[in-house]
Amino acid sequence: MSENKNTKFVFVTGGVTSSLGKGIISASLGVLLKERGFKVSIQKLDPYINVDPGTMNPYEHGECYVTEDGAETDLDLGHYERFLNSYTSQKNNITAGKIYQSVIDKERKGKYLGKTVQVIPHITNEIKKQIKSLSKDNFDFIITEIGGTVGDIESLPFIESIRQLKWELEKNAIVMHLTLIPYLHSSGELKTKPTQNSVKKLRELGLQPDIIICRTRRDLTEDVKNKIALFCNIEKSSVIESKDAETIYEVPCLMKNQNLDKVVLKKLQTKTKNSCKLKNWNSFLKNLKNPKQETTIALVGKYIELKDSYKSIVEALYHAGVKNKCKINIKWVHSEDLVKNKIKNILKNVNGVLVAPGFGDRGIEGKIQAIKYVRENKIPFFGICLGMQCAVIEFSRNILNLKNANSTEFDKNTIYPVIDLMNNQKKISYKGGTMRLGAYKCEIKKDSKTFNIYKSSNISERHRHRYEFNNDFLSKFEEKEFIASGINKKLNLVEIMEYKKHPWFIGVQFHPEFKSTVEQAQPLFVSFIKNSLIQNG
């Protein structure tokens, strides 16, 4: 399939500081353009040398997001999917590691015919090729976010590639630059100098921004806008205010009010298809801001210090809250704090407990004790991936009387390995990209709670794990009514466990949070929150 020559490209760069919200701005622009009838995709360029975030500690990078086709990607792709309600893929997250690996592989195969391999043209050509590969899917707009800030040494090949692309694509590409406008309390002024310096640095690298988006806590005055336009060499209408919002879901509306989509369409000389009313989006936002009730959910994890480690779970809870017209209060619980004498005090006022995914044995016993408490006290329980595995271990020890039952991830010598490695995982030494990744089918038993939740006997959900339920023990569980309500028939793997003697006690081996969007809240999360409200009521 050839490239679509009519595809428009919007390149999003950042200056002054990181974490300004390039991903949210990119996703918000995508929402506005999609609302106008355009086919839109968003990609992220990450300058780090890792091939992907799959082997990175959550403390380093936050959540590792997984796409349908099994790509381990930056968490911003989660924002793209949640906002646009459409899937991303391997093509949507490009790292420097992938680029260099591809170029080196080609060099080893003699593809460069003995030439000296250099950053320009070989690395930059590979970056451009990866960026343009999405246009083969006939998108009207491709929004490309460049990670980091202008001036970072590792970002230079990406900036140079964009400079070349902007020249090659002529009127089909623009650059949108996101900066910070700090407010100094001592002088009572909004300061534009950091933005001026950021744009100056960008221009030194050969890029003139077409639009400047200004993150600010206060309204930009006309004088401030005029000053930015004058010193950054852009039209005043292209200076866009991005004021701090209560929730990320307000940002598309704020950008619409600032006419961002209109400015982009004008710059790219593109006629709009539809008006931009954001009717469904505004309805979601209204319900989010005006809940009729509330519930408190304990989120039990081992990376609580960095809440971005559970970004998709948090957003899925909020989506489910909107669906149930209730406010979600998240009580963050570090699993290492859940020693026996504290559990009752920590969990006594919660209406539901979600035990989160993770790797390694740190904090595992705390998770197991929390699950025992909610099982015995009939509190709604939702276990995701490792959370499900901990529920299996807890049940084994306390109901099946399998003393010291465990996962071989935590105890290789356990005599009751209720969770174990798949046979095809046992000889793997490489860690990156070797887990069970991406979407897998699951068949649900019709006489189960899970079937009533999904209202279907066949579903597909995304995975990211190595260890699985050990089928050798399944009959013992089902005798005690902890049943495997979801099975992957092709691989004969347990995907869902639910305890029939409990009002709502479900563990899933997959990651349902990855498929929850603004338009389509994930069914398990919706049901979990609904039952927590019953607990609250």
Side-chain angles (χ1 to χ4, degrees):
M1 190 181 292
S2 60
E3 295 171 6
N4 182 355
K5 301 297 182 182
N6 296 318
T7 300
K8 308 291 184 180
F9 290 83
V10 180
F11 298 110
V12 184
T13 59
V16 183
T17 181
S18 59
S19 302
L20 285 181
K22 292 192 299 295
I24 299 299
I25 291 293
S26 299
S28 297
L29 175 60
V31 168
L32 300 182
L33 294 174
K34 185 179 178 183
E35 182 80 3
R36 289 187 175 277
F38 296 106
K39 188 179 179 184
V40 183
S41 187
I42 313 177
Q43 63 184 178
K44 175 77 180 286
L45 308 183
D46 272 311
Y48 52 71
I49 305 298
N50 302 69
V51 173
D52 57 46
T55 57
M56 294 172 72
N57 190 310
Y59 290 116
E60 288 278 327
H61 197 264
E63 172 188 82
C64 177
Y65 191 77
V66 179
T67 61
E68 284 283 293
D69 63 352
E72 295 175 284
T73 73
D74 181 80
L75 60 80
D76 275 324
L77 268 72
H79 291 312
Y80 305 162
E81 290 198 1
R82 283 188 285 273
F83 276 51
L84 295 183
N85 195 41
S86 59
Y87 293 154
T88 55
S89 71
Q90 303 260 1
K91 296 178 183 178
N92 294 79
N93 194 199
I94 304 165
T95 67
K98 284 182 182 176
I99 297 296
Y100 281 92
Q101 185 179 61
S102 177
V103 169
I104 290 169
D105 286 346
K106 288 178 181 177
E107 185 273 333
R108 292 288 82 191
K109 293 175 183 176
K111 294 288 181 69
Y112 298 121
L113 303 176
K115 291 183 179 180
T116 302
V117 177
Q118 298 175 295
V119 173
I120 303 172
H122 300 98
I123 296 297
T124 51
N125 282 349
E126 187 66 25
I127 293 170
K128 290 190 292 181
K129 176 186 171 184
Q130 295 288 344
I131 291 173
K132 293 167 73 176
S133 66
L134 270 179
S135 66
K136 295 177 182 178
D137 297 325
N138 289 316
F139 289 107
D140 299 308
F141 284 88
I142 295 174
I143 302 167
T144 302
E145 174 196 347
I146 297 88
T149 56
V150 171
D152 295 345
I153 191 168
E154 61 265 30
S155 297
L156 294 178
F158 290 94
I159 297 296
E160 170 60 20
S161 300
I162 289 166
R163 184 196 68 77
Q164 293 178 23
L165 269 178
K166 194 165 187 287
W167 179 75
E168 292 169 13
L169 294 167
E170 297 179 334
K171 295 179 181 179
N172 284 334
I174 60 171
V175 173
M176 205 161 72
H177 190 57
L178 179 63
T179 72
L180 177 68
I181 306 291
Y183 177 79
L184 296 186
H185 288 278
S186 57
S187 61
E189 291 179 295
L190 289 166
K191 306 303 289 186
T192 65
K193 190 63 73 176
T195 293
Q196 293 178 46
N197 288 333
S198 175
V199 171
K200 179 182 176 183
K201 183 65 178 178
L202 193 63
R203 291 170 71 181
E204 287 172 357
L205 297 172
L207 276 179
Q208 165 65 46
D210 300 282
I211 299 169
I212 296 176
I213 300 181
C214 305
R215 276 297 303 272
T216 175
R217 289 187 174 182
R218 295 172 180 259
D219 294 325
L220 299 184
T221 65
E222 292 303 305
D223 287 343
V224 167
K225 287 186 177 182
N226 283 328
K227 192 173 184 180
I228 293 170
L230 175 64
F231 286 101
C232 296
N233 199 32
I234 66 170
E235 298 166 330
K236 181 183 171 185
S237 60
S238 297
V239 178
I240 305 293
E241 174 187 292
S242 178
K243 200 172 177 183
D244 289 359
E246 290 180 28
T247 166
I248 58 174
Y249 299 109
E250 277 188 272
V251 179
C253 300
L254 295 176
M255 291 301 96
K256 176 181 178 293
N257 293 339
Q258 288 288 311
N259 295 316
L260 176 61
D261 52 325
K262 291 181 179 179
V263 174
V264 167
L265 291 172
K266 181 181 178 182
K267 294 282 184 184
L268 290 169
Q269 300 179 18
T270 304
K271 291 183 179 179
T272 186
K273 294 183 177 182
N274 304 323
S275 59
C276 185
K277 296 181 180 179
L278 293 179
K279 183 179 178 181
N280 292 337
W281 196 276
N282 283 320
S283 176
F284 173 89
L285 201 55
K286 180 181 178 182
N287 288 331
L288 179 66
K289 288 188 167 186
N290 301 283
K292 295 182 178 179
Q293 50 194 329
E294 61 182 276
T295 187
T296 300
I297 302 298
L299 199 162
V300 180
K302 56 167 62 176
Y303 311 116
I304 297 302
E305 299 91 337
L306 186 64
K307 294 177 176 57
D308 272 356
S309 301
Y310 305 106
K311 193 65 179 175
S312 291
I313 289 175
V314 170
E315 299 309 321
L317 286 170
Y318 290 150
H319 300 159
V322 169
K323 195 74 176 176
N324 284 285
K325 297 184 178 179
C326 78
K327 178 183 178 183
I328 304 294
N329 301 310
I330 297 177
K331 183 172 185 177
W332 295 88
V333 178
H334 202 298
S335 56
E336 288 186 291
D337 294 337
L338 286 170
V339 292
K340 291 182 181 179
N341 61 335
K342 292 184 179 179
I343 287 178
K344 186 175 181 179
N345 290 334
I346 293 174
L347 300 180
K348 65 180 180 180
N349 293 320
V350 303
N351 310 118
V353 173
L354 188 154
V355 176
F359 295 92
D361 60 357
R362 183 174 63 87
I364 292 302
E365 292 303 321
K367 290 185 175 184
I368 291 170
Q369 290 299 322
I371 293 167
K372 181 176 185 290
Y373 179 85
V374 298
R375 178 178 57 76
E376 293 176 341
N377 289 278
K378 307 296 185 185
I379 299 170
F381 163 75
F382 192 6
I384 297 177
C385 197
L386 180 60
M388 184 207 87
Q389 295 175 4
C390 288
V392 167
I393 295 168
E394 187 278 326
F395 199 87
S396 302
R397 293 177 182 178
N398 298 310
I399 300 297
L400 302 183
N401 297 314
L402 301 178
K403 189 176 180 182
N404 297 322
N406 217 327
S407 165
T408 51
E409 180 180 5
F410 315 131
D411 181 1
K412 292 181 180 179
N413 300 315
T414 177
I415 60 173
Y416 299 119
V418 291
I419 303 294
D420 199 7
L421 271 178
M422 291 174 62
N423 287 329
N424 63 2
Q425 289 280 332
K426 290 182 178 179
K427 295 180 180 179
I428 289 174
S429 57
Y430 274 51
K431 298 297 184 184
T434 57
M435 290 185 276
R436 185 149 74 106
L437 293 165
Y440 285 81
K441 292 180 179 178
C442 173
E443 188 171 315
I444 301 176
K445 292 180 178 178
K446 291 187 177 180
D447 61 343
S448 66
K449 186 183 293 292
T450 315
F451 177 83
N452 292 329
I453 292 170
Y454 276 101
K455 297 185 176 10
S456 174
S457 57
N458 292 287
I459 63 167
S460 173
E461 294 283 2
R462 301 179 196 176
H463 293 249
R464 183 176 184 257
H465 58 96
R466 297 184 191 282
Y467 291 81
E468 306 279 355
F469 182 94
N470 188 339
N471 286 326
D472 291 344
F473 295 88
L474 183 56
S475 61
K476 292 182 180 294
F477 281 83
E478 298 204 321
E479 285 172 9
K480 297 293 184 179
E481 298 194 65
F482 197 12
I483 67 165
S485 56
I487 302 284
N488 181 295
K489 288 290 182 72
K490 183 177 181 180
L491 300 173
N492 192 29
L493 295 174
V494 172
E495 301 280 37
I496 306 170
M497 292 290 290
E498 64 177 71
Y499 187 32
K500 286 198 164 187
K501 291 184 177 181
H502 189 285
W504 209 99
F505 191 100
I506 296 175
V508 297
Q509 186 58 77
F510 47 79
H511 289 261
E513 69 273 20
F514 290 151
K515 294 182 79 167
S516 187
T517 71
V518 169
E519 291 185 28
Q520 294 179 313
Q522 209 284 336
L524 287 168
F525 280 87
V526 174
S527 179
F528 174 57
I529 295 303
K530 182 179 179 180
N531 279 268
S532 76
L533 291 168
I534 295 171
Q535 174 79 15
N536 192 21

